[in-house]
């Protein structure tokens, strides 16, 4: 679909509590879409913000013993900090307590009142504080709120009402005539089902005697606006409705309101009717995504199973977290968050496939092509296949953005990376390197690098930081890629100097809280450096290739092995790493140089048992920070399943001795 502009919104979040993974998800989804449209050259506006009025915020402030404004000012920072951390590129952040919003809400109420769309009447019914909604007795679920199932309060008071019933038929027809208006399809049916019952007029005010924390109505100072009518207006107040007509014309109607499935009715019934009553066009689409669950259970503060996005991003990195959320959720359906699922996807898609592909290509190009993009010879069948698959993934990705199935687009990209690894295995560049004619080798390296160029562009909106690193490694210019250049094979220019070798996605090692037990039947020697061990610097630590060569072992050159500096080291100190039951922090002496190493061996060794031992370490590994502790190397250990033994030397040798 060709768009002339893209205006995307998230719900504005209540400031009664800190952000959780559900908030992070909607905002990330909006961010990824906005970033894609920017790459496509479409003028884009991305709005998010906070919903700061209403009873929930007032009650939270009362509990904290501060004013609602103070409470909002404190909580909003948590959202803003999280968005900064998650690299969210919103163009605007609206708070409903800002004057630019309050003025427009009052204006909306004035217009609707003067048009006779809002009238005063007596209300007698039931009220749910959590949902901030009124219900008739017939709508209750066994006397409780039909949405959140919490108890409701009986309320009888004068109030103002919006004439909803008169728009019911119009709305049903509009939804039928605009099949893309409510997405996915089954949510459209849900709204149509809701509209089968007669609509009651909506109570759009709250008497100040009961709730003072809100926007005062312009025509009655004893009332404030119902928080949902206040909040929904943010989508137009932020883009200049009644304050900056040019901006408003530029962005409205919105391309997408992204919401969670629990706020479908407010967005697909109340909001369209408010807009219709104001004579404004409706948003092009409202997309309701599913819930993030913990296992099979709903996240809730009472159960204590709420996932804190800040913690996950701190532990595993922002980009992998962004990737997981986008790749794991089939848009519209519920999805389950677990660290195990996270680690599984990370290790397979990112460490074993993408990171591995890059490091293999870079190693070969470094050793045999002088660290520059080599010249590509004529494409054979295998190269043509890889090229076609890569270009097909570009089309799938673009389509998946259009159809809101990002999981499918990301799946297609992951498939291409797997195919590139297989291509590498098949072509055996390490064998080609031995031939006098270097052209076949160069062609393989070029095609692998070119696939990575296109992949890095496709994944850029999802993992902007990591893809910037990858693009730098490929010698590409800084800045966002141009989507059109991803549609063409051959963008890498031969002779371009490549950047430093990157360990892009260090494999996440088995950790008590996450990964399943190792399945290797044979004794495996690997670097036991902890939760995230820097990826394939040594052949022994290289994860199994996507498709191993016939012997089952990816062969390396002696030159590759020589790059790894193994040294003996004497353990001077060993202590447990707080909060990580598998980790020890060691101080070792490597030929007179003192180093700190974090090693995942605490389940097999008491700290004191290590003091004085001579161990073997990888001495030329880039430092990594593990659970906030810097690790300056790795310790070798052999393992079968969970059974683990450190590698030592036979007899007495000074520390710092070379191991080869
Ligand atoms: N303030 C209203 C929205 C007003 S928009 C004009 C609101 N705020 S909220 O903070 O309670 O929720 C914001 C969004 O987070 C909702 O879309 C809700 O569906 C979503 N989520 C809350 N928990 C969630 C999950 N566990 N998973 C996914 N999203 C969920 O409602």
């Amino acid at each position: 679909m060709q768009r002339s502009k893209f205006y995307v919104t998230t719900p504005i979040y209540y400031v009664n509590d800190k952000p959780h993974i559900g908030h992070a998800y909607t905002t990330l989804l909006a961010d990824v879409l906005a970033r894609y449209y920017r790459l496509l050259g479409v003028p884009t506006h991305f709005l998010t913000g906070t919903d700061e009025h209403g009873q929930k915020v007032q009650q939270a402030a009362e509990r904290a013993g501060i004013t609602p404004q103070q409470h909002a000012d404190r909580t909003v920072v948590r959202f803003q900090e999280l968005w900064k951390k998650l690299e969210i590129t919103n163009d605007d952040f609206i708070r409903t307590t800002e004057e630019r919003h309050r003025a427009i809400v009052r204006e909306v109420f004035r217009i609707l009142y003067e048009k006779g769309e809002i009238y005063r009447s007596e209300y007698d019914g039931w009220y749910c504080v959590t949902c901030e909604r009124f219900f008739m007795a017939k709508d209750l679920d066994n006397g409780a709120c039909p949405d959140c199932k919490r108890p409701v309060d009986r309320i009888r008071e004068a109030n103002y009402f919006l004439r909803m019933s008169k728009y019911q038929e119009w709305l049903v027809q509009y939804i039928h005539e605009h099949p893309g208006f409510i997405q996915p399809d089954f949510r459209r049916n849900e709204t149509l089902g809701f509209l089968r019952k007669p609509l009651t007029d909506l109570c759009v005010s709250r008497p100040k005697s009961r709730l003072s924390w809100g926007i005062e109505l312009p025509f009655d100072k004893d009332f404030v606006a119902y928080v949902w009518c206040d909040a929904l207006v943010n989508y137009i107040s932020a883009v200049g409705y009644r304050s900056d007509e040019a901006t408003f014309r530029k962005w409205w109607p919105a391309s997408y309101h992204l919401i969670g499935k629990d706020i479908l009715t407010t967005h697909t019934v109340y909001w369209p009717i408010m807009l219709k009553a104001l004579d404004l066009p409706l948003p092009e689409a409202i997309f309701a995504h599913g819930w993030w669950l913990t296992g099979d259970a709903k996240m809730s503060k009472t159960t204590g199973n709420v996932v804190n996005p800040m913690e996950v991003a701190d532990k595993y990195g922002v980009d992998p977290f962004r990737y997981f959320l986008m790749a794991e959720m089939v848009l519209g359906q519920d999805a389950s968050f677990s660290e195990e699922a996270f680690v599984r996807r990370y290790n397979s898609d990112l460490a074993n496939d993408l990171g591995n592909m890059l490091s293999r290509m870079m190693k070969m190009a470094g050793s045999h092509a002088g660290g520059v993009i080599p010249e590509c010879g004529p494409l054979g069948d295998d190269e043509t296949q890889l090229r076609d698959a890569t270009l097909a993934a570009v089309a799938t990705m673009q389509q998946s953005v259009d159809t809101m199935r990002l999981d499918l687009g990301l799946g297609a990209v992951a498939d291409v990376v797997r195919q590139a690894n297989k291509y590498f295995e098949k072509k055996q560049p390490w064998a080609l390197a031995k031939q006098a004619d270097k052209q076949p080798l160069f062609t393989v390296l070029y095609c692998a690098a070119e696939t990575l160029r296109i992949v890095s562009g496709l994944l850029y909106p999802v993992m902007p930081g990591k893809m910037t690193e990858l693009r730098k490694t490929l010698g590409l210019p800084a800045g966002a890629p141009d989507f059109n250049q991803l549609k063409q094979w051959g963008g890498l220019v031969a002779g371009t100097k490549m950047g430093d070798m990157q360990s892009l996605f260090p494999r996440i090692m088995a950790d008590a809280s996450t990964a399943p037990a190792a399945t290797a039947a044979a004794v495996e020697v690997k670097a036991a450096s902890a939760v995230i061990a820097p990826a394939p610097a040594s052949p022994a630590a290289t994860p199994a290739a996507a498709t191993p060569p016939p012997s089952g072992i990816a062969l390396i050159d002696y030159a590759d092995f020589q790059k790894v500096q193994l040294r003996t080291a004497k353990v001077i100190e060993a202590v447990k790493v707080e909060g990580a039951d598998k980790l020890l922090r060691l101080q070792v002496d490597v030929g007179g140089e003192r180093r700190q190493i974090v090693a995942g061996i605490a389940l097999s060794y008491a700290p004191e048992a290590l003091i004085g031992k001579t161990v073997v370490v990888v001495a030329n590994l880039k430092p990594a920070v593990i659970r906030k502790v810097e690790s300056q190397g790795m310790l070798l250990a052999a393992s079968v399943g969970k059974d683990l033994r450190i590698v030592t030397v036979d007899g007495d040798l000074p520390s710092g001795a070379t191991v080869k």
Side-chain angles (χ1 to χ4, degrees), residues 46 576 613 627:
F46 165 17
K576 288 202 152 210
K613 274 200 191 312
R627 294 278 172 101

Side-chain angles (χ1 to χ4, degrees), residues 59-256:
Q59 285 176 345
E62 275 161 15
R63 279 195 299 273
I66 50 179
T67 67
Q69 188 65 60
Q70 283 170 330
H71 182 77
D73 290 348
R74 272 187 203 175
T75 317
V76 71
V77 180
R78 293 177 154 196
F79 285 90
Q80 288 166 334
E81 278 173 356
L82 179 64
W83 303 156
K84 210 159 142 201
K85 165 103 187 170
L86 296 181
E87 308 270 356
I88 301 297
T89 55
N90 52 304
D91 296 291
D92 194 0
F93 186 100
I94 189 156
R95 300 180 59 184
T96 54
T97 49
E98 286 174 73
E99 191 45 37
R100 62 164 171 158
H101 174 75
R102 296 166 66 93
I104 301 306
V105 170
R106 290 164 64 81
E107 180 68 355
V108 164
F109 271 83
R110 187 190 60 75
I111 297 171
L112 295 177
Y113 188 62
E114 283 173 9
K115 283 178 82 179
E117 300 284 351
I118 287 179
Y119 64 94
R120 188 184 165 106
S121 181
E122 187 78 12
Y123 180 80
D124 184 0
W126 298 89
Y127 187 66
C128 173
V129 173
T130 311
C131 300
E132 310 250 20
R133 285 179 63 190
F134 285 99
F135 296 99
M136 307 294 281
K138 67 176 173 48
D139 299 325
L140 298 180
D141 183 352
N142 278 327
C145 169
D147 281 350
C148 72
K149 316 292 178 211
R150 290 189 177 84
V152 284
D153 299 329
R154 177 79 190 265
I155 273 177
R156 195 187 175 137
E157 64 194 15
N159 258 317
Y160 289 89
F161 293 83
L162 176 68
R163 297 186 197 281
M164 299 257 286
S165 41
K166 75 176 203 189
Y167 290 112
Q168 180 155 8
E169 243 172 69
W170 160 81
L171 184 56
V172 171
Q173 196 177 341
Y174 186 92
I175 294 172
H176 280 301
E177 284 170 2
H178 299 81
F181 176 54
I182 304 173
Q183 300 178 26
D185 282 359
F186 61 95
R187 297 283 173 219
R188 180 176 65 233
N189 294 338
E190 207 175 303
T191 300
L192 286 170
F194 178 85
L195 288 169
R196 255 178 236 124
K197 286 184 271 170
L199 268 186
T200 40
D201 289 348
L202 178 68
C203 179
V204 295
S205 63
R206 298 291 180 267
K208 275 192 186 168
S209 53
R210 187 157 64 77
L211 172 73
S212 56
W213 184 233
I215 300 175
E216 190 181 290
L217 298 190
F219 44 82
D220 192 334
K221 63 176 180 29
D222 292 332
F223 289 85
V224 295
Y226 167 41
V227 69
W228 266 103
C229 295
D230 159 356
L232 288 161
V233 170
N234 92 90
Y235 300 136
I236 54 176
S237 67
V239 289
Y241 176 62
R242 290 269 158 174
S243 66
D244 176 353
E245 276 308 303
T247 303
F248 188 60
R249 262 200 311 277
K250 181 170 177 195
W251 297 118
W252 191 257
S255 315
Y256 271 112

Side-chain angles (χ1 to χ4, degrees), residues 10-16 20-26 50-51 56 79 227-228 230-235 258-263 266-267 289-293 298-299 329:
T10 72
I12 49 172
Y13 305 109
Y14 285 128
V15 285
N16 55 333
H20 59 68
I21 195 167
H23 304 134
Y25 177 72
T26 325
T50 40
D51 191 352
K56 268 196 248 191
F79 285 90
V227 69
W228 266 103
D230 159 356
L232 288 161
V233 170
N234 92 90
Y235 300 136
L258 302 178
I259 59 167
K261 63 181 182 181
D262 56 320
I263 53 177
T266 46
H267 280 80
H289 64 71
W291 285 85
W292 279 97
L293 310 171
K298 200 172 158 179
M299 287 183 197
M329 186 176 257

Side-chain angles (χ1 to χ4, degrees), residues 453-515:
R453 175 187 74 87
I454 294 175
V455 163
S456 72
L458 294 178
L459 295 181
Y460 183 84
V462 180
M463 295 190 284
K466 287 289 180 186
M467 293 307 105
T468 299
E469 277 178 46
L470 170 47
R471 295 175 69 76
K472 213 163 126 198
T473 307
L474 294 174
L476 291 164
D482 171 348
F483 203 89
N484 285 323
Q485 288 176 3
L486 306 180
K487 293 178 180 163
Q488 275 147 24
W489 182 263
L492 286 177
V493 180
T496 309
K497 181 98 194 92
M498 293 199 263
D500 287 341
M501 171 64 203
Q502 295 287 336
S503 165
L504 205 57
F505 297 107
R507 191 177 161 79
I508 302 176
M509 306 292 274
D511 173 53
S513 62
T514 54

